[in-house]
Protein backbone atom coordinates (compact mmCIF):
# COMPACT_ATOMS: atom_id res chain seq x y z
CA UNK A 1 0.00 0.00 0.00
CA UNK A 2 1.55 3.33 -1.12
CA UNK A 3 -0.91 5.64 0.52
CA UNK A 4 -3.65 5.16 3.08
CA UNK A 5 -6.04 7.77 4.45
CA UNK A 6 -8.03 6.66 7.47
CA UNK A 7 -11.12 8.66 8.38
CA UNK A 8 -9.58 12.02 7.61
CA UNK A 9 -11.37 15.32 8.02
CA UNK A 10 -10.06 18.80 7.32
CA UNK A 11 -11.43 22.06 8.60
CA UNK A 12 -10.37 25.62 7.72
CA UNK A 13 -11.73 27.88 10.45
CA UNK A 14 -15.32 26.73 10.89
CA UNK A 15 -15.60 25.34 7.38
CA UNK A 16 -15.27 21.56 6.94
CA UNK A 17 -13.76 20.89 3.53
CA UNK A 18 -13.35 17.13 3.91
CA UNK A 19 -15.23 14.98 6.38
CA UNK A 20 -14.42 11.39 7.38
CA UNK A 21 -12.83 10.20 4.15
CA UNK A 22 -10.93 6.94 3.80
CA UNK A 23 -8.87 6.03 0.78
CA UNK A 24 -6.04 3.74 -0.29
CA UNK A 25 -3.69 3.78 -3.27
CA UNK A 26 -1.71 0.81 -4.54
CA UNK A 27 1.42 0.87 -6.66
CA UNK A 28 0.48 0.67 -10.34
CA UNK A 29 -2.89 2.32 -9.76
CA UNK A 30 -4.25 5.60 -11.11
CA UNK A 31 -7.13 7.29 -9.32
CA UNK A 32 -9.00 10.34 -10.61
CA UNK A 33 -10.52 12.83 -8.18
CA UNK A 34 -13.48 14.62 -9.64
CA UNK A 35 -15.94 17.09 -8.20
CA UNK A 36 -17.09 20.69 -8.49
CA UNK A 37 -14.99 23.69 -7.49
CA UNK A 38 -14.60 23.86 -3.72
CA UNK A 39 -15.28 20.17 -3.20
CA UNK A 40 -11.85 19.69 -1.62
CA UNK A 41 -9.82 18.08 -4.41
CA UNK A 42 -6.74 20.26 -3.95
CA UNK A 43 -6.99 20.07 -0.18
CA UNK A 44 -7.13 16.29 -0.41
CA UNK A 45 -4.06 16.19 -2.65
CA UNK A 46 -2.17 18.44 -0.22
CA UNK A 47 -3.18 16.19 2.66
CA UNK A 48 -1.93 13.17 0.72
CA UNK A 49 1.38 14.94 0.05
CA UNK A 50 1.82 15.83 3.72
CA UNK A 51 1.68 19.57 3.00
CA UNK A 52 -1.39 19.84 5.23
CA UNK A 53 -2.21 18.05 8.45
CA UNK A 54 -5.67 16.54 8.78
CA UNK A 55 -7.89 17.93 11.53
CA UNK A 56 -8.89 14.34 12.26
CA UNK A 57 -7.74 10.97 11.00
CA UNK A 58 -4.45 9.58 9.76
CA UNK A 59 -2.42 9.70 6.56
CA UNK A 60 0.12 6.91 5.99
CA UNK A 61 2.59 7.11 3.10
CA UNK A 62 5.12 4.66 1.85
CA UNK A 63 7.81 6.17 -0.34
CA UNK A 64 8.16 9.67 -1.74
CA UNK A 65 5.19 11.74 -2.80
CA UNK A 66 5.36 14.79 -5.05
CA UNK A 67 2.61 17.29 -5.68
CA UNK A 68 2.08 19.18 -8.93
CA UNK A 69 0.02 22.30 -8.13
CA UNK A 70 -2.12 24.17 -10.59
CA UNK A 71 -0.62 26.44 -11.84
CA UNK A 72 2.81 24.85 -11.42
CA UNK A 73 5.33 26.81 -9.32
CA UNK A 74 8.77 27.78 -10.62
CA UNK A 75 11.37 30.45 -9.94
CA UNK A 76 10.87 32.88 -12.78
CA UNK A 77 14.50 34.05 -12.82
CA UNK A 78 15.89 30.56 -13.49
CA UNK A 79 16.03 28.74 -16.81
CA UNK A 80 14.53 25.27 -17.33
CA UNK A 81 18.03 23.75 -17.24
CA UNK A 82 18.92 25.45 -13.97
CA UNK A 83 15.61 24.59 -12.36
CA UNK A 84 15.79 20.92 -13.25
CA UNK A 85 19.41 20.63 -12.13
CA UNK A 86 18.66 22.21 -8.76
CA UNK A 87 15.57 20.03 -8.32
CA UNK A 88 17.51 16.87 -9.15
CA UNK A 89 20.27 17.90 -6.77
CA UNK A 90 17.88 18.69 -3.89
CA UNK A 91 16.24 15.30 -4.35
CA UNK A 92 19.57 13.52 -4.70
CA UNK A 93 18.68 12.07 -8.09
CA UNK A 94 20.12 11.84 -11.59
CA UNK A 95 18.33 11.96 -14.88
CA UNK A 96 18.52 12.75 -18.59
CA UNK A 97 17.08 16.23 -18.25
CA UNK A 98 18.23 17.29 -21.72
CA UNK A 99 16.44 14.35 -23.33
CA UNK A 100 13.32 15.05 -21.25
CA UNK A 101 13.28 18.72 -22.28
CA UNK A 102 13.67 17.72 -25.93
CA UNK A 103 10.85 15.20 -25.65
CA UNK A 104 8.53 17.89 -24.26
CA UNK A 105 9.72 20.50 -26.78
CA UNK A 106 11.08 22.94 -24.19
CA UNK A 107 14.10 25.28 -24.48
CA UNK A 108 16.95 24.88 -21.98
CA UNK A 109 18.23 28.41 -21.58
CA UNK A 110 15.16 30.66 -21.63
CA UNK A 111 14.18 32.23 -18.25
CA UNK A 112 10.93 30.75 -16.99
CA UNK A 113 9.40 34.22 -16.80
CA UNK A 114 9.15 33.95 -20.60
CA UNK A 115 7.40 30.56 -20.51
CA UNK A 116 3.69 30.34 -21.33
CA UNK A 117 1.31 28.53 -18.95
CA UNK A 118 1.36 25.48 -21.20
CA UNK A 119 5.17 25.42 -21.29
CA UNK A 120 5.29 25.65 -17.49
CA UNK A 121 2.86 22.76 -17.24
CA UNK A 122 5.04 20.73 -19.58
CA UNK A 123 8.12 21.59 -17.52
CA UNK A 124 6.31 20.49 -14.36
CA UNK A 125 5.66 17.13 -16.03
CA UNK A 126 9.32 16.88 -17.06
CA UNK A 127 10.28 17.57 -13.46
CA UNK A 128 7.99 14.84 -12.18
CA UNK A 129 9.28 12.25 -14.66
CA UNK A 130 12.88 13.04 -13.69
CA UNK A 131 12.24 12.98 -9.94
CA UNK A 132 10.17 9.78 -10.34
CA UNK A 133 8.29 9.83 -7.02
CA UNK A 134 6.43 6.80 -5.70
CA UNK A 135 3.20 8.77 -5.44
CA UNK A 136 2.26 11.31 -8.12
CA UNK A 137 -0.26 13.88 -6.94
CA UNK A 138 -1.45 16.06 -9.81
CA UNK A 139 -3.84 18.98 -9.57
CA UNK A 140 -5.60 19.51 -12.89
CA UNK A 141 -2.56 18.47 -14.94
CA UNK A 142 -4.40 18.89 -18.24
CA UNK A 143 -5.02 22.63 -17.77
CA UNK A 144 -3.22 24.90 -20.26
CA UNK A 145 -1.94 21.97 -22.32
CA UNK A 146 -2.53 21.85 -26.08
CA UNK A 147 -3.36 18.64 -27.96
CA UNK A 148 0.26 17.55 -28.19
CA UNK A 149 0.86 18.36 -24.51
CA UNK A 150 -2.21 16.39 -23.54
CA UNK A 151 -0.97 13.37 -25.50
CA UNK A 152 2.39 13.67 -23.69
CA UNK A 153 0.57 13.86 -20.36
CA UNK A 154 -1.39 10.69 -21.10
CA UNK A 155 1.83 9.00 -22.17
CA UNK A 156 3.74 9.83 -18.98
CA UNK A 157 0.78 8.93 -16.75
CA UNK A 158 0.76 5.49 -18.36
CA UNK A 159 4.52 5.23 -17.87
CA UNK A 160 4.24 6.39 -14.24
CA UNK A 161 1.76 3.69 -13.24
CA UNK A 162 4.35 1.00 -14.03
CA UNK A 163 6.34 1.91 -10.94
CA UNK A 164 4.22 4.37 -8.96
CA UNK A 165 0.73 5.29 -7.86
CA UNK A 166 -1.03 8.31 -9.36
CA UNK A 167 -3.82 10.51 -8.04
CA UNK A 168 -5.02 13.29 -10.30
CA UNK A 169 -7.69 15.88 -9.64
CA UNK A 170 -9.43 16.86 -12.83
CA UNK A 171 -12.53 18.40 -14.35
CA UNK A 172 -11.84 16.50 -17.57
CA UNK A 173 -14.01 13.37 -17.44
CA UNK A 174 -12.57 12.15 -20.74
CA UNK A 175 -9.03 12.25 -19.32
CA UNK A 176 -10.18 10.55 -16.14
CA UNK A 177 -11.81 7.71 -18.06
CA UNK A 178 -8.75 7.39 -20.32
CA UNK A 179 -6.07 7.07 -17.63
CA UNK A 180 -7.73 6.23 -14.33
CA UNK A 181 -8.49 2.80 -12.93
CA UNK A 182 -11.14 4.25 -10.68
CA UNK A 183 -12.71 7.59 -9.89
CA UNK A 184 -13.31 9.18 -6.52
CA UNK A 185 -16.13 11.71 -6.61
CA UNK A 186 -16.02 14.54 -4.10
CA UNK A 187 -19.27 16.37 -3.72
CA UNK A 188 -18.65 18.82 -0.90
CA UNK A 189 -19.75 18.29 2.68
CA UNK B 1 26.22 34.06 -12.86
CA UNK B 2 26.89 30.50 -13.95
CA UNK B 3 26.84 27.43 -11.76
CA UNK B 4 28.34 24.51 -13.62
CA UNK B 5 28.79 22.79 -10.28
CA UNK B 6 25.10 21.95 -10.16
CA UNK B 7 25.37 19.90 -13.33
CA UNK B 8 28.53 18.28 -12.03
CA UNK B 9 26.86 17.40 -8.77
CA UNK B 10 24.01 15.70 -10.55
CA UNK B 11 26.20 13.83 -13.00
CA UNK B 12 28.64 12.72 -10.33
CA UNK B 13 26.79 11.90 -7.11
CA UNK B 14 28.46 11.07 -3.84
CA UNK B 15 30.55 7.98 -3.37
CA UNK B 16 27.90 6.44 -1.16
CA UNK B 17 25.65 6.22 -4.24
CA UNK B 18 22.73 7.83 -2.43
CA UNK B 19 23.05 11.20 -4.08
CA UNK B 20 24.32 14.33 -2.47
CA UNK B 21 24.76 14.94 1.22
CA UNK B 22 23.14 17.60 3.32
CA UNK B 23 26.17 19.89 3.12
CA UNK B 24 26.03 19.94 -0.65
CA UNK B 25 22.29 20.61 -0.63
CA UNK B 26 22.81 23.50 1.81
CA UNK B 27 25.50 25.00 -0.39
CA UNK B 28 23.40 24.64 -3.56
CA UNK B 29 20.29 26.14 -1.95
CA UNK B 30 22.29 29.17 -0.76
CA UNK B 31 23.92 29.53 -4.18
CA UNK B 32 20.58 29.23 -5.98
CA UNK B 33 18.95 31.85 -3.74
CA UNK B 34 21.89 34.19 -4.21
CA UNK B 35 21.55 33.80 -7.96
CA UNK B 36 17.81 34.57 -7.74
CA UNK B 37 18.42 37.60 -5.54
CA UNK B 38 21.13 39.01 -7.81
CA UNK B 39 18.89 38.56 -10.86
CA UNK B 40 15.94 40.16 -9.07
CA UNK B 41 18.06 43.00 -7.61
CA UNK B 42 15.18 44.63 -5.70
CA UNK B 43 16.28 43.54 -2.22
CA UNK B 44 19.96 44.32 -2.71
CA UNK B 45 19.35 47.78 -4.13
CA UNK B 46 16.92 48.73 -1.37
CA UNK B 47 19.43 47.76 1.36
CA UNK B 48 22.28 49.58 -0.35
CA UNK B 49 20.12 52.69 -0.66
CA UNK B 50 19.11 52.38 3.01
CA UNK B 51 22.71 52.07 4.23
CA UNK B 52 23.85 55.03 2.15
CA UNK B 53 21.03 57.34 3.16
CA UNK B 54 21.10 56.43 6.86
CA UNK B 55 24.88 56.70 7.27
CA UNK B 56 24.95 59.96 5.33
CA UNK B 57 22.15 61.55 7.37
CA UNK B 58 23.70 60.44 10.67
CA UNK B 59 27.10 61.78 9.61
CA UNK B 60 25.53 65.13 8.74
CA UNK B 61 23.59 65.23 12.02
CA UNK B 62 26.54 64.33 14.27
CA UNK B 63 29.38 66.06 12.37
CA UNK B 64 31.52 67.73 11.41
CA UNK B 65 33.88 67.28 14.43
CA UNK B 66 35.97 64.17 14.11
CA UNK B 67 35.85 62.87 17.70
CA UNK B 68 32.05 62.69 18.23
CA UNK B 69 31.67 61.14 14.81
CA UNK B 70 34.25 58.46 15.57
CA UNK B 71 32.67 57.65 18.94
CA UNK B 72 29.21 57.38 17.42
CA UNK B 73 30.37 55.28 14.46
CA UNK B 74 30.02 51.76 15.99
CA UNK B 75 26.48 52.44 17.22
CA UNK B 76 25.40 54.03 13.97
CA UNK B 77 26.99 51.22 11.95
CA UNK B 78 25.25 48.44 13.87
CA UNK B 79 21.89 50.20 13.98
CA UNK B 80 22.14 50.66 10.21
CA UNK B 81 23.06 46.99 9.82
CA UNK B 82 20.25 45.81 12.08
CA UNK B 83 17.55 47.90 10.40
CA UNK B 84 18.88 47.45 6.88
CA UNK B 85 19.14 43.71 7.33
CA UNK B 86 15.46 43.37 8.19
CA UNK B 87 14.78 44.47 4.62
CA UNK B 88 16.69 41.40 3.44
CA UNK B 89 15.61 38.94 6.13
CA UNK B 90 12.20 38.30 4.63
CA UNK B 91 13.86 37.65 1.26
CA UNK B 92 15.09 34.23 2.41
CA UNK B 93 11.57 32.85 2.13
CA UNK B 94 9.91 35.58 0.07
CA UNK B 95 11.72 34.06 -2.92
CA UNK B 96 9.83 30.83 -2.34
CA UNK B 97 6.49 32.37 -1.36
CA UNK B 98 6.37 34.80 -4.31
CA UNK B 99 7.03 32.01 -6.80
CA UNK B 100 4.98 29.41 -4.88
CA UNK B 101 7.91 26.99 -4.62
CA UNK B 102 8.04 26.51 -0.84
CA UNK B 103 6.01 23.27 -1.12
CA UNK B 104 8.63 21.83 -3.47
CA UNK B 105 11.32 22.41 -0.85
CA UNK B 106 9.15 20.87 1.86
CA UNK B 107 8.67 17.73 -0.24
CA UNK B 108 12.38 17.06 -0.64
CA UNK B 109 13.44 13.84 1.07
CA UNK B 110 14.94 13.77 4.57
CA UNK B 111 14.78 16.29 7.42
CA UNK B 112 14.10 19.97 6.98
CA UNK B 113 17.11 21.33 8.87
CA UNK B 114 19.12 21.64 5.67
CA UNK B 115 16.60 24.21 4.40
CA UNK B 116 17.28 26.36 7.48
CA UNK B 117 21.04 26.17 7.02
CA UNK B 118 20.77 26.81 3.27
CA UNK B 119 18.68 29.92 3.85
CA UNK B 120 21.02 31.01 6.66
CA UNK B 121 24.03 30.66 4.38
CA UNK B 122 22.22 32.63 1.69
CA UNK B 123 21.61 35.47 4.15
CA UNK B 124 25.26 35.37 5.20
CA UNK B 125 26.34 35.54 1.54
CA UNK B 126 24.22 38.66 1.14
CA UNK B 127 24.82 40.38 4.44
CA UNK B 128 28.55 39.94 4.90
CA UNK B 129 29.58 41.81 1.73
CA UNK B 130 26.92 44.45 2.44
CA UNK B 131 28.21 44.81 6.01
CA UNK B 132 31.74 45.26 4.72
CA UNK B 133 30.48 47.91 2.34
CA UNK B 134 28.66 49.64 5.22
CA UNK B 135 31.88 49.48 7.26
CA UNK B 136 33.78 51.17 4.43
CA UNK B 137 31.08 53.83 4.12
CA UNK B 138 31.22 54.40 7.89
CA UNK B 139 35.02 54.65 7.69
CA UNK B 140 34.70 57.38 5.09
CA UNK B 141 31.92 59.34 6.76
CA UNK B 142 32.76 58.83 10.47
CA UNK B 143 36.58 58.81 10.48
CA UNK B 144 36.44 55.16 11.54
CA UNK B 145 40.02 53.79 11.55
CA UNK B 146 40.45 50.65 9.49
CA UNK B 147 43.92 49.69 10.71
CA UNK B 148 42.38 46.74 12.63
CA UNK B 149 40.40 45.47 9.68
CA UNK B 150 40.71 41.77 10.48
CA UNK B 151 39.34 42.07 14.06
CA UNK B 152 36.62 44.37 12.70
CA UNK B 153 35.71 41.73 10.14
CA UNK B 154 35.59 39.07 12.85
CA UNK B 155 33.16 41.27 14.81
CA UNK B 156 31.03 41.70 11.69
CA UNK B 157 31.06 37.94 11.08
CA UNK B 158 29.99 37.06 14.63
CA UNK B 159 27.38 39.81 14.78
CA UNK B 160 25.88 39.01 11.38
CA UNK B 161 25.81 35.28 12.18
CA UNK B 162 23.90 35.89 15.43
CA UNK B 163 21.49 38.21 13.68
CA UNK B 164 20.82 35.98 10.67
CA UNK B 165 20.41 32.81 12.74
CA UNK B 166 17.35 34.35 14.41
CA UNK B 167 16.19 36.26 11.31
CA UNK B 168 16.18 33.10 9.16
CA UNK B 169 14.17 31.23 11.77
CA UNK B 170 11.54 33.97 12.04
CA UNK B 171 11.45 34.44 8.26
CA UNK B 172 10.53 30.74 7.97
CA UNK B 173 7.99 30.99 10.77
CA UNK B 174 6.27 33.98 9.16
CA UNK B 175 6.74 32.92 5.54
CA UNK B 176 3.07 32.15 4.85
CA UNK B 177 1.61 35.02 6.89
CA UNK B 178 0.39 38.29 5.54
CA UNK B 179 2.13 41.30 7.05
CA UNK B 180 5.32 39.34 7.65
CA UNK B 181 7.39 42.41 6.77
CA UNK B 182 5.81 44.23 9.74
CA UNK B 183 5.87 41.30 12.15
CA UNK B 184 9.45 40.24 11.51
CA UNK B 185 11.22 43.30 12.99
CA UNK B 186 8.92 43.24 16.03
CA UNK B 187 9.83 39.63 16.84
CA UNK B 188 13.41 39.87 15.71
CA UNK B 189 14.67 42.94 17.55
CA UNK B 190 13.65 41.69 20.98
CA UNK B 191 15.94 38.68 20.51
CA UNK B 192 18.87 40.26 18.68
CA UNK B 193 19.36 43.21 21.04
CA UNK B 194 22.09 41.34 23.00
CA UNK B 195 23.90 40.50 19.77
CA UNK B 196 23.75 44.10 18.55
CA UNK B 197 24.91 45.47 21.93
CA UNK B 198 27.85 43.05 22.15
CA UNK B 199 28.81 43.84 18.55
CA UNK B 200 28.67 47.59 19.24
CA UNK B 201 30.90 47.20 22.33
CA UNK B 202 33.40 45.05 20.43
CA UNK B 203 33.51 47.52 17.53
CA UNK B 204 33.89 50.46 19.94
CA UNK B 205 36.76 48.70 21.70
CA UNK B 206 38.53 48.17 18.39
CA UNK B 207 37.95 51.77 17.28
CA UNK B 208 39.26 53.13 20.60
CA UNK B 209 42.37 50.99 20.34
CA UNK B 210 41.71 48.74 23.35
CA UNK B 211 43.92 45.65 23.57
CA UNK B 212 42.46 42.62 21.82
CA UNK B 213 42.28 40.74 25.15
CA UNK B 214 39.63 43.21 26.33
CA UNK B 215 37.67 43.02 23.07
CA UNK B 216 37.87 39.25 23.25
CA UNK B 217 35.27 39.16 26.05
CA UNK B 218 32.69 40.66 23.69
CA UNK B 219 33.62 38.22 20.95
CA UNK B 220 33.12 35.35 23.38
CA UNK B 221 29.73 36.72 24.34
CA UNK B 222 28.81 37.02 20.66
CA UNK B 223 29.97 33.46 20.05
CA UNK B 224 27.81 32.17 22.90
CA UNK B 225 24.74 33.94 21.49
CA UNK B 226 25.54 32.61 18.02
CA UNK B 227 25.78 29.02 19.21
CA UNK B 228 22.63 29.24 21.33
CA UNK B 229 20.56 30.92 18.60
CA UNK B 230 21.84 28.61 15.88
CA UNK B 231 21.15 25.46 17.86
CA UNK B 232 17.70 26.51 19.03
CA UNK B 233 16.66 27.76 15.59
CA UNK B 234 17.88 24.65 13.76
CA UNK B 235 16.05 22.39 16.22
CA UNK B 236 12.78 24.33 16.08
CA UNK B 237 12.80 25.10 12.36
CA UNK B 238 11.35 21.78 11.10
CA UNK B 239 8.49 22.13 13.59
CA UNK B 240 7.50 25.62 12.46
CA UNK B 241 7.60 24.63 8.79
CA UNK B 242 4.99 21.91 9.22
CA UNK B 243 1.63 22.84 7.74
Amino acid sequence: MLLRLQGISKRFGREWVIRNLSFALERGETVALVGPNGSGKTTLLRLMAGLLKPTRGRVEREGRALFLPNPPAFHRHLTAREHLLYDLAFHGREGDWQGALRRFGLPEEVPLAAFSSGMKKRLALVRLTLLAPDVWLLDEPETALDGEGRALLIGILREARRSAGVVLATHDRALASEVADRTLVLGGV
Amino acid sequence: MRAPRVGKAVQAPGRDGEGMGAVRRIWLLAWRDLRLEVRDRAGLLSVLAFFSVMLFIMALALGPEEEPLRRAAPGVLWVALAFGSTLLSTRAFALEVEDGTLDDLLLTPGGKEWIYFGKLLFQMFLLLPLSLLALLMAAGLFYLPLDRLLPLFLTLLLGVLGYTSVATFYAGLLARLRGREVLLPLLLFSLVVPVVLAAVRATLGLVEGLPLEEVQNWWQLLLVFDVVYLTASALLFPVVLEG
Side-chain angles (χ1 to χ4, degrees):
Chain A
M1 190 71 61
L2 274 178
L3 183 69
R4 186 195 297 272
L5 276 60
Q6 290 178 311
I8 60 154
S9 300
K10 182 66 186 175
R11 187 177 64 186
F12 292 108
R14 289 183 175 184
E15 189 76 21
W16 288 95
V17 180
I18 292 166
R19 200 170 258 177
N20 196 27
L21 186 144
S22 294
F23 170 85
L25 179 74
E26 300 277 3
R27 200 176 287 274
E29 190 181 22
T30 300
V31 176
L33 295 179
V34 296
N37 295 131
S39 58
K41 297 187 295 296
T42 303
T43 301
L44 186 55
L45 287 174
R46 292 177 65 81
L47 284 162
M48 290 173 175
L51 291 167
L52 286 175
K53 278 185 176 173
T55 312
R56 289 185 199 142
R58 281 180 58 171
V59 179
E60 292 169 21
R61 258 182 318 278
E62 204 175 90
R64 293 178 311 119
L66 282 184
F67 171 58
L68 190 163
N70 182 40
F74 292 107
H75 288 295
R76 59 190 182 278
H77 292 300
L78 294 180
T79 64
R81 178 186 69 87
E82 290 167 340
H83 223 297
L84 291 178
L85 287 176
Y86 280 119
D87 284 334
L88 284 166
F90 292 156
H91 286 261
R93 296 191 72 88
E94 293 181 77
D96 177 18
W97 57 271
Q98 283 170 307
L101 284 177
R102 267 198 304 275
R103 179 184 173 196
F104 280 77
L106 295 171
E108 287 182 24
E109 296 295 347
V110 177
L112 298 184
F115 270 36
S116 69
S117 306
M119 289 165 82
K120 284 182 188 162
K121 189 56 75 82
R122 284 182 184 218
L123 182 60
L125 295 172
V126 170
R127 182 178 178 273
L128 271 178
T129 44
L130 288 171
L131 297 179
D134 299 296
V135 182
W136 294 45
L137 303 166
L138 314 169
D139 194 4
E140 299 184 30
E142 77 284 0
T143 315
L145 287 177
D146 55 16
E148 187 194 344
R150 186 186 161 91
L152 283 165
L153 167 68
I154 292 169
I156 67 155
L157 286 178
R158 285 184 177 149
E159 283 170 28
R161 66 187 299 176
R162 287 184 206 149
S163 57
V166 180
V167 182
L168 71 147
T170 183
H171 292 290
D172 187 336
R173 298 274 181 158
L175 177 70
S177 63
E178 195 162 354
V179 297
D181 301 301
R182 59 191 167 102
T183 301
L184 180 64
V185 182
L186 298 178
V189 289
Chain B
M1 294 174 77
R2 296 183 65 81
R5 285 176 202 180
V6 185
K8 240 183 199 171
V10 173
Q11 283 150 21
R15 263 173 288 173
D16 58 3
E18 292 175 4
M20 60 193 315
V23 174
R24 212 164 200 183
R25 285 206 286 184
I26 290 167
W27 172 257
L28 282 178
L29 179 59
W31 180 254
R32 186 207 67 179
D33 283 1
L34 188 66
R35 171 181 285 205
L36 288 170
E37 191 61 55
V38 168
R39 288 181 186 173
D40 190 48
R41 286 191 287 272
L44 279 174
L45 289 176
S46 61
V47 176
L48 269 178
F50 178 84
F51 281 160
S52 312
V53 170
M54 182 173 172
L55 291 174
F56 193 67
I57 290 173
M58 292 304 287
L60 277 178
L62 298 167
E65 281 82 22
E66 196 173 320
E67 193 48 36
L69 275 173
R70 187 178 292 135
R71 277 208 51 88
V76 172
L77 174 69
W78 278 100
V79 168
L81 285 176
F83 280 97
S85 303
T86 54
L87 295 173
L88 278 181
S89 297
T90 49
R91 299 296 299 165
F93 285 90
L95 294 168
E96 310 293 348
V97 174
E98 283 168 14
D99 291 334
T101 52
L102 186 57
D103 289 345
D104 289 340
L105 271 187
L106 297 179
L107 290 178
T108 52
K112 302 292 166 258
E113 294 84 357
W114 75 276
I115 301 174
Y116 170 76
F117 286 112
K119 296 291 183 186
L120 175 76
L121 191 60
F122 157 66
Q123 295 240 47
M124 294 291 288
F125 279 164
L126 276 182
L127 278 176
L128 269 181
L130 285 172
S131 307
L132 263 179
L133 203 64
L135 181 69
L136 295 178
M137 282 188 214
L141 290 166
F142 291 80
Y143 303 98
L144 198 73
L146 290 178
D147 49 334
R148 301 169 98 182
L149 193 57
L150 218 58
L152 278 172
F153 181 73
L154 178 65
T155 311
L156 278 182
L157 180 70
L158 291 171
V160 168
L161 180 61
Y163 181 91
T164 48
S165 59
V166 184
T168 307
F169 172 77
Y170 275 130
L173 177 71
L174 303 172
R176 297 174 204 262
L177 297 182
R178 281 182 203 166
R180 54 185 175 270
E181 290 84 2
V182 180
L183 280 172
L184 183 74
L186 294 176
L187 294 169
L188 185 58
F189 285 138
S190 56
L191 271 183
V192 296
V193 161
V195 173
V196 174
L197 286 179
V200 168
R201 298 303 299 182
T203 311
L204 190 62
L206 291 169
V207 170
E208 289 180 340
L210 292 182
L212 286 184
E213 292 74 42
E214 287 187 38
V215 180
Q216 212 171 354
N217 295 332
W218 294 110
W219 286 340
Q220 283 168 352
L221 188 63
L222 276 171
L223 195 62
V224 168
F225 278 119
D226 289 357
V227 171
V228 170
Y229 285 163
L230 261 178
T231 311
S233 300
L235 287 173
L236 290 172
F237 189 74
V239 181
V240 303
L241 271 192
E242 281 182 14

